[in-house]
Amino acid sequence: MGLGERLSIVVSDSVTIAKRNIIKIRRVPDVLIFSTLSPIMFVLLFAYVFGSAIQVPGMEGGYREFLIAGIFAQTVVFGSSFTGAGLAEDMQKGIIDRFRSLPMAPSAVLVGRTVSDVVINVVSLAVMSLTGLLVGWRIRGSFFDAVLAYILLLLFAYAVSWIMAVVGLLVRAPEVFNNASFMVMFPLTFLANTFVPMNNLPAVLKLFAEWNPVSALTQATRELFGNTSPLVPVSDAWSMQHPVATTLIWVVVILVVFVPLALRQYKRTVSR
C-alpha cells in the first residue's frame, strides 16, 4: 500500500471519528453548556470583583478590555482538556478496544478526537466574544487582524489538545485526569499576563511568564484585537516583542513533540 493510499485512509477514518465525537456532543449538550459557563464565570468574577482593584491606564475600555484576551487564552487551554477527558473515558468504557477490532488506522482515534474538540473551542470563543461585548470589550484593530487572532487561538488550542491527549492516555480513570490536567493548565494560565500585567511579578516568575506560551498567545491576541495601552509597557523579552511569531513557534514545537508522544503512548495503552 502506497503512502498516498495510507494517508487517505487515515484522513477518512479520522473524519469518521470526528463525526462520532461531534454527534456525541450534540446528544449530551451538558458538556458544551458547562464548558462555556466556566469562562463566563471567570469574566464576571474578574471584571466585576477583582477588576475594580486592578488599574490599566490608557485603555479606553479599562481593565475589562485588557482582560478579555486573557480569558480567550484561558478558554482555549481549558477547552483542550476535553481531548484528554474523552480519551480517558473511552478507555474506561472499552470503546477504544472496540475501535481496535475495526479495520481502521490507529492514529485516526487521536486525530479525530483532537479535530472534533476544535468545534467546542469555536463555540466557546463565540460565546466568550458575545460575553465580552456585553461587559465592554471592543475590537479596535482591523477585521483581518481580528480573524487572525481567532485563527491563532484555535491553532494553539489544537496544539495543546495533543498535550492533553498524552495526559489522558497516561491516567487510568477520567476522575484522575481532571486533577492531573489542572497541574498543567493552572500554572500556564495564571503565571502569565492573562489577568494582570506581568511588570510587577517577582523576577523568577516574570521570566517564566515572559516565555510562557500562554503569555505569547495573550499578548498576540491583545495586539491583534487592538486592546493594548501605550501606558502599559510590554516586556523587552523577544517573546513579548514578537508574540505572533512566538505563538506560532510554540504551536509547531508542541505538535512536533507531543504528536509522536501521544501516538506512542496510545500504542502502549491499548496493548496493556
Side-chain angles (χ1 to χ4, degrees), residues 39-52 54-56 59 61-75 128 131-132 135-138 153 189-190 193-197 214 217-219 221-222 225 227-228:
I40 291 174
M41 182 191 69
F42 270 99
V43 169
L44 299 178
L45 186 66
F46 276 87
Y48 292 102
V49 180
F50 300 127
S52 58
I54 303 172
Q55 301 299 320
V56 183
M59 294 195 72
Y63 174 70
R64 293 173 192 174
E65 201 162 284
F66 175 89
L67 169 70
I68 296 301
I71 293 290
F72 279 153
Q74 186 201 43
T75 298
M128 290 314 306
T131 307
V135 301
W137 172 65
R138 296 292 181 270
L153 285 163
T189 53
F190 280 87
N193 58 352
T194 45
F195 303 116
V196 294
V214 176
L217 176 66
T218 302
Q219 184 63 26
T221 52
R222 206 166 266 155
F225 285 134
N227 298 145
T228 56

Side-chain angles (χ1 to χ4, degrees), residues 106 110 169 262-272:
L110 298 180
L169 291 169
L263 293 174
R264 190 172 64 177
Q265 185 59 39
Y266 176 77
K267 291 180 181 177
R268 286 182 178 178
T269 303
V270 298
S271 62
R272 287 174 185 168

Side-chain angles (χ1 to χ4, degrees), residues 42 69-81 156-157 159-164 167 180-196 198 201 205-219 222 240 250-251 254 258:
F42 270 99
I71 293 290
F72 279 153
Q74 186 201 43
T75 298
V76 297
V77 171
F78 277 42
S80 64
S81 67
F156 188 81
V160 176
S161 68
W162 282 95
I163 300 178
M164 295 302 156
V167 178
S181 62
F182 282 164
M183 294 178 66
V184 177
M185 293 188 293
F186 267 81
L188 281 176
T189 53
F190 280 87
L191 293 179
N193 58 352
T194 45
F195 303 116
V196 294
M198 64 173 69
L201 292 176
L205 294 182
K206 183 181 178 184
L207 181 64
F208 179 87
E210 287 174 341
W211 291 96
N212 182 342
V214 176
S215 291
L217 176 66
T218 302
Q219 184 63 26
R222 206 166 266 155
M240 292 294 98
W250 271 114
V251 168
I254 291 171
F258 284 93

Side-chain angles (χ1 to χ4, degrees), residues 45-121:
L45 186 66
F46 276 87
Y48 292 102
V49 180
F50 300 127
S52 58
I54 303 172
Q55 301 299 320
V56 183
M59 294 195 72
E60 192 173 340
Y63 174 70
R64 293 173 192 174
E65 201 162 284
F66 175 89
L67 169 70
I68 296 301
I71 293 290
F72 279 153
Q74 186 201 43
T75 298
V76 297
V77 171
F78 277 42
S80 64
S81 67
F82 285 100
T83 298
L87 285 172
E89 184 182 0
D90 286 346
M91 290 293 300
Q92 188 182 55
K93 292 182 176 178
I95 295 174
I96 298 294
D97 291 333
R98 173 61 178 156
F99 288 153
R100 287 179 61 201
S101 67
L102 299 174
M104 60 183 291
S107 58
V109 175
L110 298 180
V111 176
R113 166 62 65 178
T114 52
V115 169
S116 64
D117 288 342
V118 173
V119 175
I120 293 180
N121 279 310

